[in-house]
Amino acid sequence: MSKAYRVQNPANNKVEETFGYITDAELEEVVDTAVSAFKQWRELSYEDRAPLLKKAASLFDERRGELAKIIATEMGKSVKEGDGEINDVVEIFNYYADHGAEFGADQEIPTDKGGTAVMRKVPLGVILGIMPWNFPYYQVARFAAPAIMAGNVVIVKHAEICPRSGQIIQDILEEAGLPKGVFTNVYANHDQVADLIASKHIAGVSLTGSERAGRIIGAQAGEHLKKCVLELGGTDAYVVLDAADPAEAALTAWKKRISNVGQACTSNKRMIVMDDIYDDFVAELVRLAGEYVKGDPLNPGAAGKRECYPLSSRDAAETLVEQVGKAVDAGANLHVGGTIDGEGAYFAPAVITDIPVGSDIYYEEFFGPVAAVYKVSSEEEAIEVANDSNYGLGGAVMSQDEERAKKVAAKIDTGMIHVNIPQARGAELPFGGVKNSGLGRELGPVGMDEFVNYQRFFVAD
């Protein structure tokens, strides 16, 4: 499969449009424009920037139908879920417009050293964002809105299968009144990305992607002493300690797992279930997974049944089939699904149990609709299995006894943990992980702090 920027419809695997890589000369011009834009943008107050972010939010809201159709064709997200993604984008831009001045305010430092000390939050400059395909608008907003509100400008290299969505974000922001160069989408190749990171004009880099990509970008950033934020993979634990209705508990877990066709870093990729409800829980998952039929991302609900939409690409579907096969070869039991249907990227939702803890495949991330379930017989065992992961992004603990759930949740090593909800969402909630899930935080009050210089500003009496 070509790695050029392209719209390759995952419903049928057909390439609908291709886009050439930016030339080195054009990329140099982009950087020069961004540097010039930063000199002007940084001088604006938060109060001057806020209305432009507000306008951007309103434009995303107005054009949500067009935006949802673009990503349905690019990476297979149903227009219904795409509409929900736009809600997140609108919320994020409004959130930083409303709170940017508060988050970026100077902080006075008490001192008896004969002067006044202030900690200023000064924008760093041009920030490179390397963005993924699974949430083409939300992920960019999560990176760009706080960085721009802080006074930085950004260059975005989107996923190769998201050329239209990457460009329309730039179009909307410029229509909202952001000066040219404050946000620029580029169709760069990997060598050009490395050159950007090495450039003296790039002050930092943010990547959302795979662990492998994170190691590469993190190494390049480290070599050139550039600040980086890495939001990588996850094998989030979803612990079910008890349930009055195991089938209902399984439905709640499944809804989380099937969201975005399982292609989310914070999907509940490891369901850890107490032995007394395990059999009923698994049986319901198998029943649910077996009900799905292929759905049209552009016309969700037309089939009149539970619909599963294509994965982002044929490659992604084939990788998932290979992973399921490795799990079965290691001794796991595949109860349902795990196959590709047709020429596109439709993957039959799967339920798999008994993946041997400690096997190579146990530590891999299943980036798609695969429910992997583990039986445990005590809280201690549940915690042990939950923490036996190379990742530490999110997770949840479910129980009728809130105190019991909180006690277990407090012992799980992860950047985000939830009690009695699969995942809380909101622009005000910081996002990020530990271990191989990455470095840094996005969103919330800390979202503007990653790409600023905490400058000590001391004025003598």
Side-chain angles (χ1 to χ4, degrees), residues 16 74 106 115 124 131 158 191 223 256 283 337 341 349 354 389 429 455:
E16 299 186 359
E74 284 184 335
D106 293 349
L124 292 181
M131 298 288 104
H158 216 317
D191 289 340
E223 179 183 357
K256 171 63 177 169
D341 186 356
D354 308 306
S389 170
L429 300 176
Q455 184 186 62

Side-chain angles (χ1 to χ4, degrees), residues 25-202:
E26 290 169 335
L27 187 58
E28 185 175 345
E29 184 177 341
V30 164
V31 173
D32 289 344
T33 301
V35 170
S36 296
F38 173 63
K39 293 176 182 177
Q40 302 172 30
W41 185 251
R42 68 179 299 174
E43 296 303 320
L44 296 182
S45 67
Y46 295 112
E47 290 75 15
D48 289 333
R49 296 178 198 138
L52 302 180
L53 268 68
K54 283 280 191 181
K55 179 61 176 177
S58 69
L59 289 173
F60 278 109
D61 193 20
E62 291 171 10
R63 300 178 67 175
R64 61 174 58 239
E66 175 190 4
L67 294 166
K69 288 178 181 178
I70 287 174
I71 59 175
T73 304
E74 284 184 335
M75 50 72 65
K77 191 190 299 284
S78 77
V79 292
K80 182 178 180 180
E81 284 195 301
D83 185 79
E85 183 172 336
I86 300 304
N87 289 339
D88 292 336
V89 173
V90 171
E91 180 187 7
I92 289 168
F93 273 92
N94 280 326
Y95 178 78
Y96 285 105
D98 291 338
H99 299 284
E102 170 193 348
F103 297 155
D106 293 349
Q107 299 173 4
E108 186 171 352
I109 304 169
T111 179
D112 59 359
K113 300 301 185 292
T116 301
V118 171
M119 188 70 75
R120 300 175 66 216
K121 296 181 181 180
V122 182
L124 292 181
V126 184
I127 311 299
L128 173 64
I130 304 169
M131 298 288 104
W133 47 258
N134 57 334
F135 293 92
Y137 303 120
Y138 164 68
Q139 300 277 14
V140 174
R142 205 170 73 185
F143 152 67
I148 289 171
M149 190 60 185
N152 299 292
V153 303
V154 301
I155 297 173
V156 168
K157 182 265 179 216
H158 216 317
E160 284 83 354
I161 63 172
C162 293
R164 291 175 180 164
S165 53
Q167 185 57 43
I168 200 170
I169 297 171
Q170 177 180 332
D171 295 344
I172 286 175
L173 293 181
E174 291 183 354
E175 184 180 345
L178 274 73
K180 185 175 179 61
V182 173
F183 181 104
T184 310
N185 172 67
V186 296
Y187 301 137
N189 61 40
H190 291 167
D191 289 340
Q192 290 171 323
V193 168
D195 290 341
L196 282 172
I197 295 173
S199 169
K200 66 179 182 180
H201 299 299
I202 301 298

